Amino acid sequence: MPKYLVVSTSGNPDSNSRRMGRVAFAHLQKRKVDCSWMDISEMNLPLCDADKCYSTPAAQKLNQAIETADGILIAAPVYNYDVAAAAKNMIELTGSAWEEKVVGFLCAAGGNSSYMAVMAYANSLMLDFRTVIIPRFVYATGDVFKGDEIADKKVVTRIEEAAEELIRFTQALRS
């Protein structure tokens, strides 16, 4: 049976991308699939130095979670027209653990202009680690959030559809 992982990569305690990830994780739990949640802001991850960083307990825990997952949804904020640096650092710390995974994206940004920000990140995963990128990702701007809630039900539906696509793609590739 495939294993799924939802990873929040935001350092912001009031993160909209984390809210998106929580919706996806709750949907996976409702589907009764084997799924886990990981929030890298709670892990005290080192910056990748291409040396000692890999042996830290936090990096090893993250690596193990990525390694054992078959399908992964990354909830990431977009800052200054790019996926946040913490998400890139996550890949640098875990490297080959990403090989041949199915990956989807849930992105939150302040405005509409950064909707393609995830593409360089996705290309890196595809080219370096042969991940299969779900060809539909969710991008939401700040106006769809009201407090701790996602007020736009269309965005909630799109997040749930992304979780369904993660299941569908992973099952198709693992069978």
Side-chain angles (χ1 to χ4, degrees):
M1 177 159 85
K3 293 182 69 157
Y4 303 94
L5 175 66
V6 180
V7 183
S8 172
T9 64
S10 179
N12 182 349
D14 193 34
S15 169
N16 287 332
S17 63
R18 184 178 297 112
R19 289 181 180 98
M20 295 170 72
R22 286 284 186 197
V23 169
F25 181 63
H27 184 79
L28 292 171
Q29 287 181 309
K30 285 180 198 169
R31 286 290 314 274
K32 300 194 183 316
V33 297
D34 186 357
C35 60
S36 300
W37 169 263
M38 183 165 274
D39 188 336
I40 67 170
S41 72
E42 299 171 351
M43 298 184 69
N44 195 29
L45 287 169
L47 290 177
C48 185
D49 63 6
D51 187 27
K52 295 180 179 133
C53 62
Y54 308 113
S55 62
T56 66
Q60 290 179 348
K61 179 180 178 180
L62 178 61
N63 191 69
Q64 179 66 25
I66 301 295
E67 181 72 36
T68 59
D70 297 296
I72 303 165
L73 281 176
I74 300 170
V78 173
Y79 301 137
N80 196 29
Y81 302 98
D82 206 352
V83 174
K88 176 81 165 80
N89 188 58
M90 175 181 68
I91 290 176
E92 291 170 347
L93 289 171
T94 53
S96 64
W98 290 91
E99 287 182 358
E100 301 181 7
K101 306 297 181 188
V102 175
V103 177
F105 298 98
L106 309 170
C107 298
N112 292 319
S113 299
S114 301
Y115 68 94
M116 296 294 286
V118 75
M119 294 313 297
Y121 193 72
N123 284 337
S124 172
L125 286 167
M126 284 189 300
L127 296 172
D128 288 343
F129 306 113
R130 295 171 309 285
T131 62
V132 173
I133 303 298
I134 297 170
R136 175 183 298 175
F137 62 93
V138 182
Y139 180 90
T141 57
D143 59 337
V144 305
F145 299 92
K146 301 292 183 231
D148 288 338
E149 301 296 318
I150 301 173
D152 187 334
K153 297 306 173 201
K154 290 179 184 175
V155 172
V156 172
T157 299
R158 289 191 349 247
I159 293 168
E160 291 171 348
E161 288 171 350
E164 286 297 322
E165 289 290 280
L166 182 73
I167 293 169
R168 186 173 73 84
F169 272 69
T170 304
Q171 287 176 342
L173 291 170
R174 297 295 185 248
S175 60

